[in-house]
PDB file of all heavy atoms in Angstrom:
ATOM      1  N   ASP A   1       0.806  -1.215   0.000  1.00 52.00           N
ATOM      2  CA  ASP A   1       0.000   0.000   0.000  1.00 52.00           C
ATOM      3  C   ASP A   1       0.850   1.281   0.000  1.00 52.00           C
ATOM      4  O   ASP A   1       0.353   2.355   0.279  1.00 52.00           O
ATOM      5  CB  ASP A   1      -0.931   0.018   1.209  1.00 52.00           C
ATOM      6  CG  ASP A   1      -0.160   0.005   2.533  1.00 52.00           C
ATOM      7  OD1 ASP A   1       1.062  -0.210   2.495  1.00 52.00           O
ATOM      8  OD2 ASP A   1      -0.791   0.206   3.573  1.00 52.00           O
ATOM      9  N   SER A   2       2.137   1.140  -0.267  1.00 62.00           N
ATOM     10  CA  SER A   2       2.997   2.317  -0.293  1.00 62.00           C
ATOM     11  C   SER A   2       3.431   2.625  -1.721  1.00 62.00           C
ATOM     12  O   SER A   2       3.440   1.765  -2.591  1.00 62.00           O
ATOM     13  CB  SER A   2       4.225   2.105   0.604  1.00 62.00           C
ATOM     14  OG  SER A   2       5.018   1.057   0.103  1.00 62.00           O
ATOM     15  N   LEU A   3       3.786   3.886  -1.943  1.00 88.00           N
ATOM     16  CA  LEU A   3       4.325   4.300  -3.223  1.00 88.00           C
ATOM     17  C   LEU A   3       5.494   5.221  -2.936  1.00 88.00           C
ATOM     18  O   LEU A   3       5.331   6.283  -2.355  1.00 88.00           O
ATOM     19  CB  LEU A   3       3.267   5.043  -4.056  1.00 88.00           C
ATOM     20  CG  LEU A   3       3.761   5.581  -5.404  1.00 88.00           C
ATOM     21  CD1 LEU A   3       4.210   4.449  -6.307  1.00 88.00           C
ATOM     22  CD2 LEU A   3       2.669   6.376  -6.088  1.00 88.00           C
ATOM     23  N   TRP A   4       6.664   4.794  -3.362  1.00 93.00           N
ATOM     24  CA  TRP A   4       7.889   5.519  -3.066  1.00 93.00           C
ATOM     25  C   TRP A   4       8.258   6.412  -4.242  1.00 93.00           C
ATOM     26  O   TRP A   4       8.246   5.998  -5.388  1.00 93.00           O
ATOM     27  CB  TRP A   4       9.014   4.548  -2.759  1.00 93.00           C
ATOM     28  CG  TRP A   4       8.693   3.654  -1.608  1.00 93.00           C
ATOM     29  CD1 TRP A   4       8.167   2.401  -1.651  1.00 93.00           C
ATOM     30  CD2 TRP A   4       8.851   3.965  -0.227  1.00 93.00           C
ATOM     31  NE1 TRP A   4       7.980   1.906  -0.403  1.00 93.00           N
ATOM     32  CE2 TRP A   4       8.396   2.845   0.504  1.00 93.00           C
ATOM     33  CE3 TRP A   4       9.328   5.073   0.466  1.00 93.00           C
ATOM     34  CZ2 TRP A   4       8.414   2.807   1.893  1.00 93.00           C
ATOM     35  CZ3 TRP A   4       9.351   5.023   1.859  1.00 93.00           C
ATOM     36  CH2 TRP A   4       8.905   3.910   2.556  1.00 93.00           C
ATOM     37  N   VAL A   5       8.598   7.648  -3.938  1.00 94.00           N
ATOM     38  CA  VAL A   5       8.987   8.617  -4.960  1.00 94.00           C
ATOM     39  C   VAL A   5      10.503   8.699  -5.006  1.00 94.00           C
ATOM     40  O   VAL A   5      11.157   8.902  -3.982  1.00 94.00           O
ATOM     41  CB  VAL A   5       8.396  10.005  -4.643  1.00 94.00           C
ATOM     42  CG1 VAL A   5       8.861  11.038  -5.660  1.00 94.00           C
ATOM     43  CG2 VAL A   5       6.871   9.930  -4.614  1.00 94.00           C
ATOM     44  N   VAL A   6      11.069   8.537  -6.190  1.00 96.00           N
ATOM     45  CA  VAL A   6      12.520   8.621  -6.374  1.00 96.00           C
ATOM     46  C   VAL A   6      12.879  10.054  -6.744  1.00 96.00           C
ATOM     47  O   VAL A   6      12.327  10.618  -7.689  1.00 96.00           O
ATOM     48  CB  VAL A   6      12.993   7.657  -7.482  1.00 96.00           C
ATOM     49  CG1 VAL A   6      14.512   7.749  -7.645  1.00 96.00           C
ATOM     50  CG2 VAL A   6      12.587   6.219  -7.160  1.00 96.00           C
ATOM     51  N   ASN A   7      13.814  10.640  -5.997  1.00 96.00           N
ATOM     52  CA  ASN A   7      14.219  12.018  -6.256  1.00 96.00           C
ATOM     53  C   ASN A   7      15.621  12.152  -6.843  1.00 96.00           C
ATOM     54  O   ASN A   7      15.882  13.068  -7.617  1.00 96.00           O
ATOM     55  CB  ASN A   7      14.129  12.854  -4.978  1.00 96.00           C
ATOM     56  CG  ASN A   7      12.690  13.142  -4.586  1.00 96.00           C
ATOM     57  OD1 ASN A   7      11.834  13.343  -5.443  1.00 96.00           O
ATOM     58  ND2 ASN A   7      12.408  13.138  -3.293  1.00 96.00           N
ATOM     59  N   THR A   8      16.525  11.253  -6.473  1.00 97.00           N
ATOM     60  CA  THR A   8      17.870  11.286  -7.056  1.00 97.00           C
ATOM     61  C   THR A   8      18.354   9.866  -7.325  1.00 97.00           C
ATOM     62  O   THR A   8      17.951   8.925  -6.632  1.00 97.00           O
ATOM     63  CB  THR A   8      18.895  11.988  -6.136  1.00 97.00           C
ATOM     64  OG1 THR A   8      19.079  11.208  -4.948  1.00 97.00           O
ATOM     65  CG2 THR A   8      18.461  13.388  -5.781  1.00 97.00           C
ATOM     66  N   ILE A   9      19.173   9.738  -8.342  1.00 95.00           N
ATOM     67  CA  ILE A   9      19.810   8.466  -8.670  1.00 95.00           C
ATOM     68  C   ILE A   9      21.291   8.724  -8.877  1.00 95.00           C
ATOM     69  O   ILE A   9      21.684   9.543  -9.714  1.00 95.00           O
ATOM     70  CB  ILE A   9      19.232   7.828  -9.954  1.00 95.00           C
ATOM     71  CG1 ILE A   9      17.713   7.716  -9.873  1.00 95.00           C
ATOM     72  CG2 ILE A   9      19.840   6.457 -10.195  1.00 95.00           C
ATOM     73  CD1 ILE A   9      16.990   8.746 -10.703  1.00 95.00           C
ATOM     74  N   LYS A  10      22.131   8.071  -8.092  1.00 96.00           N
ATOM     75  CA  LYS A  10      23.575   8.159  -8.248  1.00 96.00           C
ATOM     76  C   LYS A  10      24.046   6.865  -8.905  1.00 96.00           C
ATOM     77  O   LYS A  10      23.824   5.776  -8.364  1.00 96.00           O
ATOM     78  CB  LYS A  10      24.259   8.343  -6.897  1.00 96.00           C
ATOM     79  CG  LYS A  10      25.778   8.426  -6.969  1.00 96.00           C
ATOM     80  CD  LYS A  10      26.378   8.565  -5.568  1.00 96.00           C
ATOM     81  CE  LYS A  10      27.898   8.596  -5.614  1.00 96.00           C
ATOM     82  NZ  LYS A  10      28.482   8.638  -4.240  1.00 96.00           N
ATOM     83  N   ILE A  11      24.657   6.972 -10.077  1.00 93.00           N
ATOM     84  CA  ILE A  11      25.080   5.794 -10.832  1.00 93.00           C
ATOM     85  C   ILE A  11      26.600   5.722 -10.795  1.00 93.00           C
ATOM     86  O   ILE A  11      27.306   6.468 -11.492  1.00 93.00           O
ATOM     87  CB  ILE A  11      24.576   5.864 -12.281  1.00 93.00           C
ATOM     88  CG1 ILE A  11      23.062   6.084 -12.295  1.00 93.00           C
ATOM     89  CG2 ILE A  11      24.933   4.588 -13.045  1.00 93.00           C
ATOM     90  CD1 ILE A  11      22.492   6.417 -13.665  1.00 93.00           C
ATOM     91  N   ASN A  12      27.125   4.859  -9.941  1.00 94.00           N
ATOM     92  CA  ASN A  12      28.567   4.733  -9.766  1.00 94.00           C
ATOM     93  C   ASN A  12      29.194   3.962 -10.921  1.00 94.00           C
ATOM     94  O   ASN A  12      28.631   2.982 -11.413  1.00 94.00           O
ATOM     95  CB  ASN A  12      28.880   4.012  -8.456  1.00 94.00           C
ATOM     96  CG  ASN A  12      28.431   4.794  -7.249  1.00 94.00           C
ATOM     97  OD1 ASN A  12      28.785   5.956  -7.087  1.00 94.00           O
ATOM     98  ND2 ASN A  12      27.633   4.165  -6.394  1.00 94.00           N
ATOM     99  N   SER A  13      30.374   4.399 -11.356  1.00 91.00           N
ATOM    100  CA  SER A  13      31.083   3.672 -12.400  1.00 91.00           C
ATOM    101  C   SER A  13      31.570   2.338 -11.850  1.00 91.00           C
ATOM    102  O   SER A  13      32.037   2.253 -10.712  1.00 91.00           O
ATOM    103  CB  SER A  13      32.287   4.486 -12.897  1.00 91.00           C
ATOM    104  OG  SER A  13      33.043   3.726 -13.823  1.00 91.00           O
ATOM    105  N   VAL A  14      31.435   1.292 -12.642  1.00 89.00           N
ATOM    106  CA  VAL A  14      31.936  -0.029 -12.245  1.00 89.00           C
ATOM    107  C   VAL A  14      33.150  -0.425 -13.074  1.00 89.00           C
ATOM    108  O   VAL A  14      33.604  -1.566 -13.009  1.00 89.00           O
ATOM    109  CB  VAL A  14      30.826  -1.101 -12.374  1.00 89.00           C
ATOM    110  CG1 VAL A  14      29.708  -0.832 -11.395  1.00 89.00           C
ATOM    111  CG2 VAL A  14      30.283  -1.168 -13.797  1.00 89.00           C
ATOM    112  N   GLU A  15      33.670   0.514 -13.859  1.00 88.00           N
ATOM    113  CA  GLU A  15      34.850   0.239 -14.669  1.00 88.00           C
ATOM    114  C   GLU A  15      36.100   0.248 -13.808  1.00 88.00           C
ATOM    115  O   GLU A  15      36.262   1.099 -12.929  1.00 88.00           O
ATOM    116  CB  GLU A  15      34.994   1.281 -15.783  1.00 88.00           C
ATOM    117  CG  GLU A  15      33.877   1.277 -16.805  1.00 88.00           C
ATOM    118  CD  GLU A  15      34.097   2.343 -17.860  1.00 88.00           C
ATOM    119  OE1 GLU A  15      35.243   2.498 -18.334  1.00 88.00           O
ATOM    120  OE2 GLU A  15      33.121   3.041 -18.197  1.00 88.00           O
ATOM    121  N   ALA A  16      37.008  -0.682 -14.089  1.00 87.00           N
ATOM    122  CA  ALA A  16      38.277  -0.734 -13.368  1.00 87.00           C
ATOM    123  C   ALA A  16      39.056   0.560 -13.607  1.00 87.00           C
ATOM    124  O   ALA A  16      39.141   1.049 -14.735  1.00 87.00           O
ATOM    125  CB  ALA A  16      39.100  -1.934 -13.838  1.00 87.00           C
ATOM    126  N   GLY A  17      39.584   1.126 -12.537  1.00 88.00           N
ATOM    127  CA  GLY A  17      40.351   2.353 -12.650  1.00 88.00           C
ATOM    128  C   GLY A  17      39.514   3.617 -12.612  1.00 88.00           C
ATOM    129  O   GLY A  17      40.062   4.716 -12.690  1.00 88.00           O
ATOM    130  N   ARG A  18      38.180   3.472 -12.506  1.00 91.00           N
ATOM    131  CA  ARG A  18      37.313   4.651 -12.466  1.00 91.00           C
ATOM    132  C   ARG A  18      36.512   4.710 -11.154  1.00 91.00           C
ATOM    133  O   ARG A  18      35.403   5.221 -11.103  1.00 91.00           O
ATOM    134  CB  ARG A  18      36.355   4.658 -13.665  1.00 91.00           C
ATOM    135  CG  ARG A  18      37.078   4.910 -14.982  1.00 91.00           C
ATOM    136  CD  ARG A  18      36.102   4.958 -16.147  1.00 91.00           C
ATOM    137  NE  ARG A  18      35.104   6.004 -16.014  1.00 91.00           N
ATOM    138  CZ  ARG A  18      35.300   7.275 -16.359  1.00 91.00           C
ATOM    139  NH1 ARG A  18      36.478   7.666 -16.816  1.00 91.00           N
ATOM    140  NH2 ARG A  18      34.319   8.169 -16.246  1.00 91.00           N
ATOM    141  N   GLU A  19      37.128   4.210 -10.105  1.00 91.00           N
ATOM    142  CA  GLU A  19      36.491   4.267  -8.796  1.00 91.00           C
ATOM    143  C   GLU A  19      36.312   5.740  -8.403  1.00 91.00           C
ATOM    144  O   GLU A  19      37.207   6.562  -8.566  1.00 91.00           O
ATOM    145  CB  GLU A  19      37.348   3.551  -7.748  1.00 91.00           C
ATOM    146  CG  GLU A  19      37.454   2.047  -7.948  1.00 91.00           C
ATOM    147  CD  GLU A  19      38.447   1.625  -9.027  1.00 91.00           C
ATOM    148  OE1 GLU A  19      39.179   2.519  -9.531  1.00 91.00           O
ATOM    149  OE2 GLU A  19      38.489   0.440  -9.364  1.00 91.00           O
ATOM    150  N   GLY A  20      35.133   6.057  -7.890  1.00 93.00           N
ATOM    151  CA  GLY A  20      34.849   7.427  -7.488  1.00 93.00           C
ATOM    152  C   GLY A  20      34.207   8.268  -8.574  1.00 93.00           C
ATOM    153  O   GLY A  20      33.759   9.383  -8.317  1.00 93.00           O
ATOM    154  N   PHE A  21      34.138   7.754  -9.797  1.00 95.00           N
ATOM    155  CA  PHE A  21      33.442   8.437 -10.887  1.00 95.00           C
ATOM    156  C   PHE A  21      31.963   8.036 -10.828  1.00 95.00           C
ATOM    157  O   PHE A  21      31.642   6.869 -10.616  1.00 95.00           O
ATOM    158  CB  PHE A  21      34.008   8.032 -12.253  1.00 95.00           C
ATOM    159  CG  PHE A  21      35.347   8.631 -12.560  1.00 95.00           C
ATOM    160  CD1 PHE A  21      36.507   8.160 -11.941  1.00 95.00           C
ATOM    161  CD2 PHE A  21      35.469   9.661 -13.485  1.00 95.00           C
ATOM    162  CE1 PHE A  21      37.748   8.712 -12.233  1.00 95.00           C
ATOM    163  CE2 PHE A  21      36.701  10.219 -13.785  1.00 95.00           C
ATOM    164  CZ  PHE A  21      37.847   9.744 -13.154  1.00 95.00           C
ATOM    165  N   TYR A  22      31.082   9.002 -11.032  1.00 95.00           N
ATOM    166  CA  TYR A  22      29.662   8.664 -11.045  1.00 95.00           C
ATOM    167  C   TYR A  22      28.866   9.713 -11.800  1.00 95.00           C
ATOM    168  O   TYR A  22      29.309  10.825 -12.065  1.00 95.00           O
ATOM    169  CB  TYR A  22      29.120   8.513  -9.620  1.00 95.00           C
ATOM    170  CG  TYR A  22      29.109   9.776  -8.784  1.00 95.00           C
ATOM    171  CD1 TYR A  22      27.983  10.599  -8.712  1.00 95.00           C
ATOM    172  CD2 TYR A  22      30.232  10.144  -8.032  1.00 95.00           C
ATOM    173  CE1 TYR A  22      27.968  11.744  -7.935  1.00 95.00           C
ATOM    174  CE2 TYR A  22      30.231  11.288  -7.250  1.00 95.00           C
ATOM    175  CZ  TYR A  22      29.100  12.085  -7.203  1.00 95.00           C
ATOM    176  OH  TYR A  22      29.099  13.221  -6.430  1.00 95.00           O
ATOM    177  N   LYS A  23      27.639   9.317 -12.168  1.00 93.00           N
ATOM    178  CA  LYS A  23      26.661  10.222 -12.763  1.00 93.00           C
ATOM    179  C   LYS A  23      25.522  10.385 -11.777  1.00 93.00           C
ATOM    180  O   LYS A  23      25.112   9.397 -11.140  1.00 93.00           O
ATOM    181  CB  LYS A  23      26.150   9.633 -14.080  1.00 93.00           C
ATOM    182  CG  LYS A  23      24.976  10.369 -14.698  1.00 93.00           C
ATOM    183  CD  LYS A  23      24.637   9.712 -16.029  1.00 93.00           C
ATOM    184  CE  LYS A  23      23.165   9.638 -16.276  1.00 93.00           C
ATOM    185  NZ  LYS A  23      22.835   8.995 -17.555  1.00 93.00           N
ATOM    186  N   GLN A  24      25.021  11.615 -11.642  1.00 94.00           N
ATOM    187  CA  GLN A  24      23.895  11.839 -10.745  1.00 94.00           C
ATOM    188  C   GLN A  24      22.733  12.453 -11.501  1.00 94.00           C
ATOM    189  O   GLN A  24      22.911  13.387 -12.278  1.00 94.00           O
ATOM    190  CB  GLN A  24      24.285  12.744  -9.569  1.00 94.00           C
ATOM    191  CG  GLN A  24      23.128  12.943  -8.595  1.00 94.00           C
ATOM    192  CD  GLN A  24      23.573  13.440  -7.240  1.00 94.00           C
ATOM    193  OE1 GLN A  24      24.533  12.929  -6.678  1.00 94.00           O
ATOM    194  NE2 GLN A  24      22.895  14.425  -6.704  1.00 94.00           N
ATOM    195  N   VAL A  25      21.555  11.907 -11.258  1.00 94.00           N
ATOM    196  CA  VAL A  25      20.319  12.393 -11.857  1.00 94.00           C
ATOM    197  C   VAL A  25      19.454  12.972 -10.747  1.00 94.00           C
ATOM    198  O   VAL A  25      19.170  12.298  -9.760  1.00 94.00           O
ATOM    199  CB  VAL A  25      19.557  11.260 -12.575  1.00 94.00           C
ATOM    200  CG1 VAL A  25      18.265  11.793 -13.194  1.00 94.00           C
ATOM    201  CG2 VAL A  25      20.432  10.608 -13.634  1.00 94.00           C
ATOM    202  N   ASP A  26      19.066  14.243 -10.888  1.00 96.00           N
ATOM    203  CA  ASP A  26      18.189  14.900  -9.926  1.00 96.00           C
ATOM    204  C   ASP A  26      16.844  15.189 -10.586  1.00 96.00           C
ATOM    205  O   ASP A  26      16.796  15.777 -11.675  1.00 96.00           O
ATOM    206  CB  ASP A  26      18.812  16.214  -9.449  1.00 96.00           C
ATOM    207  CG  ASP A  26      20.099  15.986  -8.678  1.00 96.00           C
ATOM    208  OD1 ASP A  26      20.023  15.531  -7.530  1.00 96.00           O
ATOM    209  OD2 ASP A  26      21.180  16.257  -9.236  1.00 96.00           O
ATOM    210  N   LEU A  27      15.760  14.792  -9.926  1.00 97.00           N
ATOM    211  CA  LEU A  27      14.414  14.985 -10.451  1.00 97.00           C
ATOM    212  C   LEU A  27      13.700  16.049  -9.627  1.00 97.00           C
ATOM    213  O   LEU A  27      13.435  15.856  -8.436  1.00 97.00           O
ATOM    214  CB  LEU A  27      13.628  13.672 -10.402  1.00 97.00           C
ATOM    215  CG  LEU A  27      14.281  12.481 -11.111  1.00 97.00           C
ATOM    216  CD1 LEU A  27      13.447  11.228 -10.904  1.00 97.00           C
ATOM    217  CD2 LEU A  27      14.495  12.753 -12.582  1.00 97.00           C
ATOM    218  N   LYS A  28      13.414  17.182 -10.257  1.00 97.00           N
ATOM    219  CA  LYS A  28      12.691  18.263  -9.582  1.00 97.00           C
ATOM    220  C   LYS A  28      11.208  18.090  -9.842  1.00 97.00           C
ATOM    221  O   LYS A  28      10.791  17.854 -10.977  1.00 97.00           O
ATOM    222  CB  LYS A  28      13.173  19.612 -10.119  1.00 97.00           C
ATOM    223  CG  LYS A  28      12.546  20.820  -9.451  1.00 97.00           C
ATOM    224  CD  LYS A  28      13.123  22.106 -10.031  1.00 97.00           C
ATOM    225  CE  LYS A  28      12.512  23.337  -9.401  1.00 97.00           C
ATOM    226  NZ  LYS A  28      13.086  24.591  -9.986  1.00 97.00           N
ATOM    227  N   ARG A  29      10.380  18.212  -8.790  1.00 95.00           N
ATOM    228  CA  ARG A  29       8.942  17.953  -8.902  1.00 95.00           C
ATOM    229  C   ARG A  29       8.126  19.157  -8.431  1.00 95.00           C
ATOM    230  O   ARG A  29       8.594  19.959  -7.618  1.00 95.00           O
ATOM    231  CB  ARG A  29       8.561  16.724  -8.063  1.00 95.00           C
ATOM    232  CG  ARG A  29       9.283  15.450  -8.483  1.00 95.00           C
ATOM    233  CD  ARG A  29       8.957  14.295  -7.549  1.00 95.00           C
ATOM    234  NE  ARG A  29       9.738  13.112  -7.902  1.00 95.00           N
ATOM    235  CZ  ARG A  29       9.375  12.229  -8.799  1.00 95.00           C
ATOM    236  NH1 ARG A  29       8.206  12.373  -9.425  1.00 95.00           N
ATOM    237  NH2 ARG A  29      10.135  11.186  -9.080  1.00 95.00           N
ATOM    238  N   ASP A  30       6.897  19.248  -8.951  1.00 93.00           N
ATOM    239  CA  ASP A  30       5.987  20.288  -8.473  1.00 93.00           C
ATOM    240  C   ASP A  30       5.217  19.773  -7.263  1.00 93.00           C
ATOM    241  O   ASP A  30       5.460  18.659  -6.772  1.00 93.00           O
ATOM    242  CB  ASP A  30       5.058  20.766  -9.589  1.00 93.00           C
ATOM    243  CG  ASP A  30       4.127  19.668 -10.104  1.00 93.00           C
ATOM    244  OD1 ASP A  30       3.956  18.631  -9.416  1.00 93.00           O
ATOM    245  OD2 ASP A  30       3.560  19.851 -11.199  1.00 93.00           O
ATOM    246  N   ALA A  31       4.276  20.572  -6.774  1.00 89.00           N
ATOM    247  CA  ALA A  31       3.530  20.204  -5.570  1.00 89.00           C
ATOM    248  C   ALA A  31       2.730  18.920  -5.741  1.00 89.00           C
ATOM    249  O   ALA A  31       2.456  18.207  -4.769  1.00 89.00           O
ATOM    250  CB  ALA A  31       2.598  21.350  -5.175  1.00 89.00           C
ATOM    251  N   ALA A  32       2.377  18.598  -6.973  1.00 88.00           N
ATOM    252  CA  ALA A  32       1.610  17.378  -7.244  1.00 88.00           C
ATOM    253  C   ALA A  32       2.511  16.163  -7.467  1.00 88.00           C
ATOM    254  O   ALA A  32       2.022  15.059  -7.692  1.00 88.00           O
ATOM    255  CB  ALA A  32       0.713  17.588  -8.465  1.00 88.00           C
TER     256      ALA A  32
END
């Protein structure tokens, strides 16, 4: 009975030698 709202997604690099590299997605929402 719950619905979870996702506001940010951090996508960490899994490539060797790229530890600490990541992409971040931020979702801005209105009152609804």
